[in-house]
């Protein structure tokens, strides 16, 4: 197949020719595996926007297997190959931590002007730093990532803090790497759209989740969220407040997350209104209808009391992620029905993947802390 009219994706490793973006919007994948009997392209989930799989790949005379597909929507899409039943990453692709392991992914671009908010621009830049700390609640050393806004080291200014969580099968590297969060914050702060803030990114999967085991049960997710909540309250937040120049009042502290991280945000944030005044839920609304009188320790039982306490409750989803959209609209309607104040924002035409959540972060930082 000629590749003169196409270009390697931005997520293709330097020097590799595939995966490639075709001029008509299709994507071509290629794997050299002359000894293989059959090879399939496996998109990472039916709702991540690349399309449903597995997709059979075709072998040429040199033992190269190819498949050309049309992604359902643009965005960041995980995938891997199945070679005679064995899941393998694409040697031509960068890998990202997803699905509980390093995983191939491709960025199917949207228009350059639409993507500008998460691309580096000629503006002052903050920094993302790795920090190790000892978490007594877990009896282990932990690594998290902290974004500090531009010029933070040159001033004595104190900043509000956003605790920003990744999704299931990912870890604290997700927002800095897949999410381009530092560019989103830099550009929003430079444009005067966001208050300068510190952003803390921890790994929310604190209980062992076996790679490839599928979606955990609700009880397993709740158990993990409970342990993670104790970590945040007992260890992470005190360390951040002692180490960085934070505004340590609850009104200046927010939590947000995508998918599993959004569900953790609700599980932890609603149980700790003394700690968080703003919550952002990105494609992470409850899996089931909420019992407002009992769930979340009754935090939503009294709408007037909740509205007086909560500064911002923000919900989002992509219009091309059927499950996430249905859950978000159901929760939105339930909150509306009892008069609980919140904001709803939908990302048009994006799926359960990072383009949706980049847009959510951009919109959320425009309103949190204002």
């Amino acid at each position: 197949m000629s590749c003169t009219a196409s270009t390697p994706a931005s997520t293709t490793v330097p020097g590799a020719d595939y995966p490639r973006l075709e001029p008509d919007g299709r994507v071509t994948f290629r794997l050299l595996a002359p000894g293989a009997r059959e090879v399939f392209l496996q998109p990472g989930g039916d709702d991540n926007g690349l399309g449903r799989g597995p997709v059979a790949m075709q072998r040429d005379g040199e033992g190269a297997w190819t498949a050309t597909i049309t992604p359902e929507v643009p965005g960041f899409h995980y995938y891997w190959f199945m070679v005679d039943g064995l899941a393998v990453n694409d040697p031509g692709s960068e890998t990202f931590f997803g699905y509980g392991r390093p995983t191939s992914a491709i960025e199917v671009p949207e228009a350059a002007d639409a993507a500008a908010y998460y691309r580096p621009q000629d503006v002052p830049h903050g920094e993302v730093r790795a920090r190790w700390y000892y978490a007594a609640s877990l009896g282990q050393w932990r690594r998290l990532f902290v974004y500090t806004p531009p010029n933070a080291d040159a001033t004595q200014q104190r900043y509000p803090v956003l605790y920003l969580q990744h999704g299931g099968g990912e870890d604290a590297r997700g927002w800095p790497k897949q999410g381009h969060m530092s560019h989103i914050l830099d550009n929003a702060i430079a444009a005067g759209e966001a208050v300068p803030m510190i952003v803390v990114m921890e790994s929310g999967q604190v209980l062992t989740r076996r790679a490839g085991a599928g979606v955990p049960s609700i009880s397993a997710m709740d158990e993990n969220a409970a342990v993670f909540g104790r970590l945040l309250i007992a260890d992470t937040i005190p360390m951040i407040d002692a180490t960085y120049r934070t505004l340590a009042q609850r009104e200046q502290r927010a939590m947000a997350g995508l998918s599993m991280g959004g569900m953790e945000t609700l599980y932890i944030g609603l149980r700790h209104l003394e700690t968080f005044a703003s919550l952002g839920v990105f494609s992470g609304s409850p899996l089931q209808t909420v019992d407002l009188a009992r769930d979340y320790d009754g935090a939503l039982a009294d709408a007037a009391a909740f509205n007086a306490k909560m500064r911002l409750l923000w919900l989002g989803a992509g219009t091309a992620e059927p499950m996430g959209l249905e859950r978000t609209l159901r929760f939105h309607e339930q909150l509306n029905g009892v008069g609980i104040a919140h904001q709803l924002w939908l990302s048009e035409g994006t799926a359960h993947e990072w383009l949706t959540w980049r847009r959510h972060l951009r919109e959320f930082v425009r309103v949190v802390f204002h």
Side-chain angles (χ1 to χ4, degrees):
M1 177 180 293
S2 172
C3 58
T4 56
S6 57
T7 58
S10 62
T11 42
T12 301
V13 299
D17 291 327
Y18 293 86
R20 300 186 72 85
L21 304 173
E22 306 293 338
D24 59 2
R26 297 179 299 160
V27 178
T28 297
F29 298 87
R30 182 178 186 271
L31 177 69
L32 182 63
R37 296 185 300 274
E38 61 178 10
V39 179
F40 293 90
L41 167 69
Q42 179 60 62
D46 291 340
D47 59 352
N48 87 335
L50 191 58
R52 291 178 179 267
V55 178
M57 302 181 72
Q58 303 302 313
R59 187 186 190 279
D60 67 15
E62 298 178 352
W65 299 77
T66 60
T68 300
I69 65 172
T70 301
E72 294 176 351
V73 293
F76 179 96
H77 309 304
Y78 293 113
Y79 73 95
W80 53 90
F81 296 129
M82 297 298 298
V83 181
D84 294 337
L86 177 67
V88 299
N89 284 332
D90 183 352
S93 168
E94 292 280 1
T95 56
F96 305 82
F97 196 80
Y99 288 84
R101 63 185 186 273
T103 305
S104 305
I106 185 168
E107 184 84 36
V108 179
E110 56 182 340
D113 56 344
Y117 73 94
Y118 60 85
R119 299 299 186 199
Q121 306 292 340
D122 186 15
V123 298
H125 296 287
E127 295 185 1
V128 176
R129 306 170 183 178
R131 174 167 288 275
W132 288 88
Y133 71 107
Y134 185 76
S137 68
L138 296 178
Q140 63 182 219
W141 286 92
R142 303 277 299 177
R143 182 189 67 170
L144 50 68
F145 293 90
V146 181
Y147 168 87
T148 52
N151 304 314
D153 291 340
T155 74
Q156 293 302 307
Q157 182 177 347
R158 291 188 172 272
Y159 300 99
V161 185
L162 168 62
Y163 289 83
L164 183 62
Q165 291 307 121
H166 58 84
E170 298 167 340
D171 66 7
R173 293 169 285 183
W175 274 109
K177 190 172 183 180
Q178 290 97 298
H180 304 311
M181 59 78 50
S182 63
H183 300 320
I184 295 172
L185 267 293
D186 290 344
N187 295 333
I189 292 170
E193 296 173 347
V195 172
M197 68 187 75
I198 292 170
V199 182
V200 179
M201 293 154 283
E202 244 285 13
S203 293
Q205 187 66 50
V206 292
L207 300 181
T208 301
R209 176 178 172 182
R210 185 169 61 85
V215 178
S217 65
I218 293 176
S219 62
M221 288 190 285
D222 285 351
E223 181 184 8
N224 180 77
V227 176
F228 182 52
R230 290 195 292 271
L231 168 71
L232 278 183
I233 301 301
D235 299 298
T236 311
I237 293 174
M239 183 276 291
I240 293 295
D241 286 342
T243 306
Y244 297 89
R245 292 193 306 276
T246 67
L247 293 168
Q249 304 82 26
R250 65 174 293 275
E251 292 78 13
Q252 302 298 327
R253 190 182 295 118
M255 185 175 179
L258 68 93
S259 195
M260 181 190 79
M263 288 184 276
E264 289 180 330
T265 293
L266 290 172
Y267 187 99
I268 298 166
L270 291 178
R271 287 174 168 83
H272 292 280
L273 296 181
E274 79 287 350
T275 302
F276 300 100
S278 298
L279 303 175
V281 182
F282 310 163
S283 306
S285 289
L287 295 172
Q288 299 177 336
T289 301
V290 172
D291 184 332
L292 297 176
R294 295 188 300 176
D295 290 347
Y296 305 114
D297 291 349
L300 302 172
D302 185 331
F306 179 83
N307 292 344
K309 186 85 169 177
M310 178 59 62
R311 186 171 182 176
L312 174 66
L313 176 58
W314 193 98
L315 309 179
T319 63
E321 52 166 334
M323 292 180 290
L325 179 62
E326 188 274 333
R327 288 160 42 204
T328 300
L329 293 179
R330 181 180 63 209
F331 192 41
H332 160 68
E333 292 168 1
Q334 191 174 13
L335 296 177
N336 265 351
V338 296
I340 292 178
H342 64 285
Q343 295 186 23
L344 173 69
W345 191 86
L346 302 179
S347 173
E348 185 63 37
T350 58
H352 197 73
E353 50 78 30
W354 279 96
L355 183 52
T356 293
W357 307 319
R358 294 170 194 162
R359 292 180 180 179
H360 285 171
L361 181 61
R362 174 190 59 184
E363 297 302 321
F364 184 70
V365 299
R366 287 174 169 174
V367 293
V368 71
F369 304 133
H370 279 283

